[in-house]
């Protein structure tokens, strides 16, 4: 029963988004390394950089489309919330459900068409039109998987907001979890903060460290 | 709907309404594109959506964005911003308002290593605001200098908005970056001039209020660094500007500390302008060099800090690139409906004075900037306006830089001025009203810069023309 309740609460979508974020961060590091390898082999050994360019672009797709779910969980996707912020707490929850549904429309279209694109590449065994000849069935899978992760995160938002409206979850708690953009979360980088979105400490600490 | 312009108007309105619901800008743009396709084109055209989304990111140049963000994050996570501020202070402390100017100069230098404005304001503000407050600079001048100085992040290369402009307008990134250099210096100097004026005005007002008391205490000069001074602030202004004295040796030492980073800026710019590397390659090399330098100079690199920089860069990149993706989609839909072309045709046929058109464009950008982040505006507006700009005979490089300065204003104007919120986060004890009032004059300074650049286009075009 509790396993079913957990499944229905969609809390596991949070864990998926978090994992997707770590994969994306790793992809970003990998892209940096691959590009450095490309630069080095071109300038020092005079070799062509066929696979480096292509692979780093595919890693960029992972950073963007899989990172999108992580960004959604951490409220990185900027939105204009000056109007909705004026609503009372329950109104904000309703607004959040509506905008999540609207976003899901776009995500569904892209995920669906992306799956069709992937399926065609998979059926036809398409390769990228370069010397590297990357299998497009792998490359085209990045987009629909990313959209699926984003969709799951949105479903969690909707379930959470609906439970709060039904009185099963405290309203403030749900709001804190699903609230739209926090302008600080993605801009302030603490020196040795414990995690993403950490606010800067009293800046005095900063000064004592290295004087 | 027969007129493309009317269709374009309806689509624009639809996008604005969706923005106001508070949904992420990326998905609001995507939904507008889906709805416009169904309404004005053919639902069968939705088939190309996935391909459009995919192809919009299938571009090696875009890799420069996450990598420059990563470079800035690694740099901002170190204590380097403190050294930048101290170097500025050592050289400027003798001038009236020198602390505020140091923040602006430090922000300008920091901007040379990052392409993001809120990141610049956060990194410099964390160090500069407490220091300025402790030494009696008023809340308004302190926060204004940092919020405004931070906006230089998108003007001084590397600049994320200019990379995005380049992709939409198909201009040379080297030329665009070069175009941002002189205006960047100009804006920095003008900001410093304003700090001098504001400090003078404040001193005069303070003196007339507190009378002799200020005169008696203004000569005492040893409050520096004392912990209790943080909250003493500018309430009465008794101990204002008790600056430590710097010898020339101190100044040179402070400069030497930041020299490695200044040389990275120089190296990256040189590599781009000389055509040695593409922006993406330069950014990858920049990440490595910054990492190594910080590991050597500050010994401050931890795996945890690096992981945090990577995750944070992922967050910022996905936000920017998702917006880029979906504005590419809506841009294609608009082009199918030939909206940008019709707009250009109509305005040129009406033979309106081109400077009037430019004024109107700037006002529209200003209003958009109050609500939307610069990256969103650049990727949405450039494809629509670009045919018009070239038809009117404006220089595309010049317009890109002009637009970026306009975007800087949006970062410091309410209701959605990102830098204002960053400052509020750094100094929760200062009211948002004081931050806004302290920052407002810089809107005037930036507008004046736009005016100067319009009257003397050479400010922008001189350096790119010299180099290419």
């Amino acid at each position: 029963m509790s396993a079913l309740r957990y499944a229905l609460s969609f809390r596991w979508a949070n864990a998926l988004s978090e994992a997707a974020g770590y994969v994306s961060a790793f992809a970003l590091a990998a892209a940096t390394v691959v590009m450095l390898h490309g630069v080095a082999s071109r300038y020092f050994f005079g070799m062509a950089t066929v696979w480096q360019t292509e692979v780093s672009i595919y890693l960029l797709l992972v950073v963007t489309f899989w990172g999108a779910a992580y960004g959604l969980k951490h409220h990185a996707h900027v939105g204009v919330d000056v109007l909705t912020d004026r609503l009372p707490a329950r109104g904000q929850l309703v607004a959040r459900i509506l905008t999540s549904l609207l976003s899901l429309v776009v995500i569904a279209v892209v995920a669906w068409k992306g799956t069709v694109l992937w399926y065609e590449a998979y059926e036809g065994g398409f390769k990228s039109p370069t010397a590297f000849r990357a299998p497009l069935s792998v490359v085209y899978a990045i987009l629909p998987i990313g959209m699926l992760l984003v969709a799951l995160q949105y479903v969690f938002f909707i379930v959470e907001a609906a439970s709060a409206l039904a009185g099963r979850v405290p309203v403030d708690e749900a709001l804190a979890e699903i609230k739209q953009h926090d302008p600080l979360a993605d801009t302030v980088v603490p020196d040795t903060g414990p995690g993403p979105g950490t606010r800067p400490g009293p800046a005095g600490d900063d000064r004592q460290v290295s004087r | 709907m027969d007129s493309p312009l009317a269709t374009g108007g309806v689509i624009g309105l639809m996008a604005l309404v969706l923005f106001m619901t508070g949904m992420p800008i990326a998905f609001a743009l995507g939904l507008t594109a889906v709805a416009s396709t169904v309404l004005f084109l053919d639902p069968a055209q939705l088939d190309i959506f996935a391909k459009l989304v995919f192809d919009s990111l299938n571009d090696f140049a875009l890799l420069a964005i996450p990598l420059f963000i990563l470079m800035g994050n690694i740099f901002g996570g170190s204590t380097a911003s403190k050294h930048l501020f101290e170097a500025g202070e050592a050289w400027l402390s003798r001038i009236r308002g020198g602390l505020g100017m140091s923040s602006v100069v430090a922000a300008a230098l920091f901007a040379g290593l990052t392409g993001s404005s809120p990141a610049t304001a956060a990194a410099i503000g964390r160090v500069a605001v407490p220091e300025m407050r402790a030494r009696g600079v008023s809340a308004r001048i302190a926060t204004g200098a940092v919020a405004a100085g931070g906006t230089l992040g998108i003007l001084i290369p590397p600049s994320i908005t200019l990379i995005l402009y380049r992709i939409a307008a198909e201009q040379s990134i080297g030329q665009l970056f070069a175009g941002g250099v002189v205006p960047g210096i100009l804006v920095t100097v003008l900001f410093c001039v304003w700090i001098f004026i504001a400090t003078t005005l404040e001193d005069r007002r303070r003196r007339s209020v507190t009378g002799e008391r200020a005169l008696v205490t203004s000569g005492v000069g040893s409050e520096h660094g004392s912990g209790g001074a943080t909250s003493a602030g500018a309430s009465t202004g008794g101990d204002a500007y008790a600056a430590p004295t710097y010898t020339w040796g101190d100044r040179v030492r402070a400069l030497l500390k930041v020299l490695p980073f200044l040389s990275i800026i120089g190296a990256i710019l040189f590599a781009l302008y000389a055509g040695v590397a593409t922006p993406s390659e330069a950014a990858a090399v920049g990440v490595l060099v910054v990492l190594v330098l910080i590991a050597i100079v500050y010994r401050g690199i931890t795996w945890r800090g690096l992981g945090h920089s990577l995750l944070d860069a992922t967050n910022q990149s996905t936000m920017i690139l998702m917006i880029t993706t979906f504005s590419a989609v809506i841009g294609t839909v608009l082009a199918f409906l030939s909206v940008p072309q019709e707009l250009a045709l109509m305005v040129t046929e009406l033979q309106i004075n081109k400077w009037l058109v430019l004024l109107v464009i700037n006002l529209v950008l200003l209003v958009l900037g109050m609500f939307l982040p610069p990256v969103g505006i650049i990727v949405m507006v450039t494809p629509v306006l670009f045919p018009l700009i070239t038809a009117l005979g404006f220089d595309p490089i010049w317009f890109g830089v002009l637009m970026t300065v306009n975007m800087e204003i949006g970062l410091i104007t309410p209701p959605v001025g990102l830098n204002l919120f960053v400052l509020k986060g750094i100094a929760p004890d200062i009211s948002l009203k004081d931050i806004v009032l302290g920052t407002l004059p810089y809107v005037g300074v930036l507008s004046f810069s736009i005016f100067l650049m319009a009257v003397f286009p050479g400010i922008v075009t001189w350096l790119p023309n010299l180099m290419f």
Side-chain angles (χ1 to χ4, degrees):
Chain A
M1 182 60 201
S2 73
L4 180 67
R5 186 172 293 164
Y6 181 71
L8 287 178
S9 77
F10 274 82
R11 288 207 161 266
W12 45 272
N14 275 329
L16 272 182
S17 299
E18 201 68 18
Y22 280 84
V23 173
S24 308
F26 180 77
L28 180 54
T32 316
V33 173
V34 167
M35 288 175 70
L36 286 171
H37 181 267
V39 172
S41 52
R42 176 131 53 101
Y43 289 108
F44 299 121
F45 309 109
M47 289 187 290
T49 51
V50 176
W51 68 269
Q52 289 94 336
T53 306
E54 217 171 312
V55 167
S56 45
I57 290 175
Y58 300 148
L59 289 168
L60 175 77
L61 297 175
V62 172
V63 172
T64 308
F65 296 132
W66 295 14
Y70 180 81
L72 188 60
K73 178 170 181 278
H74 290 273
H75 318 299
H77 296 288
V78 190
V80 184
D81 50 11
V82 276
L83 288 183
T84 43
D85 268 2
R86 312 233 154 149
L87 295 171
R90 295 179 71 82
Q92 289 190 32
L93 287 174
V94 174
R96 197 70 177 113
I97 293 179
L98 291 177
T99 55
S100 299
L101 288 171
L102 287 175
S103 304
L104 276 175
V105 173
V106 189
I107 294 158
V109 169
V110 177
W112 168 39
K113 298 298 177 189
T115 309
V116 172
L117 200 64
W118 166 81
Y119 187 72
E120 284 169 359
Y122 173 76
E123 280 283 278
F126 297 156
K127 305 265 192 232
S128 67
T130 60
F132 179 49
R133 298 187 55 75
L136 288 181
S137 60
V138 175
V139 176
Y140 282 156
I142 297 172
L143 178 60
I145 291 175
M147 289 300 112
L148 180 67
L149 291 167
V150 175
L152 288 173
Q153 185 66 40
Y154 263 124
V155 173
F156 163 70
F157 283 167
I158 293 172
V159 171
E160 184 77 0
S163 329
L165 286 175
R168 295 215 188 106
V169 181
V171 170
D172 313 351
E173 224 171 80
L175 259 189
E177 197 138 16
I178 64 174
K179 189 124 192 306
Q180 186 45 281
H181 181 61
D182 176 351
L184 293 173
D186 59 328
T187 50
V188 177
V189 191
D191 282 11
T192 49
T198 312
R199 305 293 168 85
D205 300 349
D206 219 347
R207 279 181 290 156
Q208 284 155 12
V209 178
S210 59
R211 218 178 233 185
Chain B
M1 198 121 356
D2 45 352
S3 154
L5 280 182
T7 315
V10 172
I11 294 174
L13 204 64
M14 189 151 54
L16 283 182
V17 170
L18 287 176
F19 287 153
M20 288 303 151
T21 64
M23 68 192 289
I25 290 168
F27 298 132
L29 288 170
L31 191 58
T32 312
V34 170
S36 324
T37 308
V38 173
L39 289 176
F40 304 123
L41 291 166
D42 178 357
Q45 300 270 19
L46 286 178
D47 281 348
I48 60 165
F49 262 54
K51 193 88 179 85
L52 281 178
V53 166
F54 200 88
D55 285 347
S56 65
L57 290 192
N58 193 356
D59 183 350
F60 188 64
L62 281 174
L63 270 156
I65 291 172
L67 292 174
F68 275 132
I69 290 176
L70 180 62
M71 184 171 87
N73 279 359
I74 295 172
F75 186 71
S78 76
T79 46
S81 46
K82 182 169 108 67
H83 294 278
L84 286 178
F85 179 67
E86 283 172 358
E89 192 201 333
W91 287 83
L92 295 167
S93 61
R94 296 285 296 278
I95 307 172
R96 182 179 297 168
L99 275 176
M101 294 178 193
S102 312
S103 320
V104 170
V105 170
L109 294 176
F110 190 90
L113 282 165
T114 184
S116 152
S117 285
T120 309
I124 299 301
R126 241 178 323 124
V127 178
V129 171
E131 185 75 21
M132 285 192 275
R133 299 287 287 143
R135 305 225 326 241
V137 177
S138 76
R140 287 182 188 179
I141 288 185
T143 52
V146 173
T151 66
L152 291 165
I154 55 168
L155 178 60
I156 294 177
S159 152
I160 285 167
T161 45
L162 287 177
I163 294 175
L164 291 171
Y165 178 81
R166 175 219 100 111
I167 290 160
E170 295 176 348
Q171 294 299 310
S172 140
I173 190 64
Q175 283 190 315
L176 275 169
F177 276 8
V181 172
V182 179
I185 296 170
L186 172 78
V187 172
T188 308
V189 170
L190 288 177
F191 280 175
C192 289
V193 169
W194 167 251
I195 290 172
F196 184 85
I197 296 172
T199 312
T200 310
L201 290 176
E202 215 166 62
D203 279 358
R204 191 169 295 168
R205 202 176 316 133
R206 192 179 288 157
R207 213 161 285 160
S208 67
V209 173
T210 51
E212 290 168 350
R213 194 171 157 267
L215 287 172
V216 172
T217 46
S218 62
V220 187
S222 58
E223 294 284 345
H224 176 230
S226 64
T230 313
S231 55
S235 48
T236 56
D239 53 355
Y241 313 118
T245 45
Y246 290 94
T247 65
W248 283 101
D250 292 337
R251 288 187 185 136
V252 172
R253 261 193 300 281
L255 195 63
L256 281 179
K257 263 193 205 163
V258 296
L259 205 60
F261 295 102
L262 301 187
S263 52
I264 307 179
I265 304 176
I268 289 176
L269 294 186
F270 173 78
L272 288 181
Y273 301 151
V276 176
T278 65
S280 307
E281 290 171 340
V285 175
V287 168
L288 181 71
V289 175
V290 167
L291 205 58
V292 169
L293 264 183
I294 287 177
I296 292 173
V297 178
Y298 301 110
R299 296 191 179 79
I301 293 286
T302 56
W303 285 109
R304 193 186 202 177
L306 188 60
H308 184 259
S309 296
L310 278 166
L311 278 174
D312 207 64
T314 302
N315 250 348
Q316 296 171 41
S317 308
T318 186
M319 182 272 280
I320 293 172
L321 293 172
M322 287 297 276
I323 294 178
T324 309
T325 269
F326 283 108
S327 40
V329 176
I330 185 86
T332 310
V333 172
L334 286 174
F336 272 163
L337 294 164
S338 62
V339 174
Q341 300 89 320
E342 285 292 322
L343 179 69
L345 202 65
M346 184 197 79
V347 176
T348 40
E349 270 177 0
L350 282 178
Q351 302 218 316
I352 309 170
N353 182 304
K354 69 175 189 171
W355 297 104
L356 191 66
V357 178
L358 190 73
L359 182 69
V360 172
I361 289 176
N362 270 291
L363 291 176
V364 171
L365 289 175
L366 212 58
V367 174
L368 287 175
M370 291 170 131
F371 296 95
L372 301 174
V375 284
I377 302 175
I378 295 261
V379 289
M380 278 189 291
V381 167
T382 311
V384 179
L385 284 187
F386 197 69
L388 174 61
I389 290 301
T390 40
L392 288 173
F394 287 118
D395 183 290
I397 303 279
W398 171 84
F399 181 71
V401 175
L402 199 77
M403 190 148 126
T404 298
V405 178
N406 194 311
M407 297 296 97
E408 287 185 72
I409 299 179
L411 286 165
I412 53 171
T413 43
V416 191
L418 269 183
N419 282 13
L420 301 175
F421 294 117
V422 170
L423 260 296
K424 182 68 186 154
I426 290 170
D429 56 313
I430 301 176
S431 73
L432 197 58
K433 183 182 160 224
D434 272 334
I435 298 176
V436 170
L437 285 177
T439 313
L440 213 54
Y442 294 92
V443 173
V445 178
L446 286 168
S447 309
F448 180 63
S449 311
I450 294 178
F451 173 76
L452 281 182
M453 285 159 57
V455 179
F456 307 106
I459 296 172
V460 180
T461 54
W462 172 72
L463 192 60
N465 288 341
L466 193 73
M467 299 182 103
F468 294 93

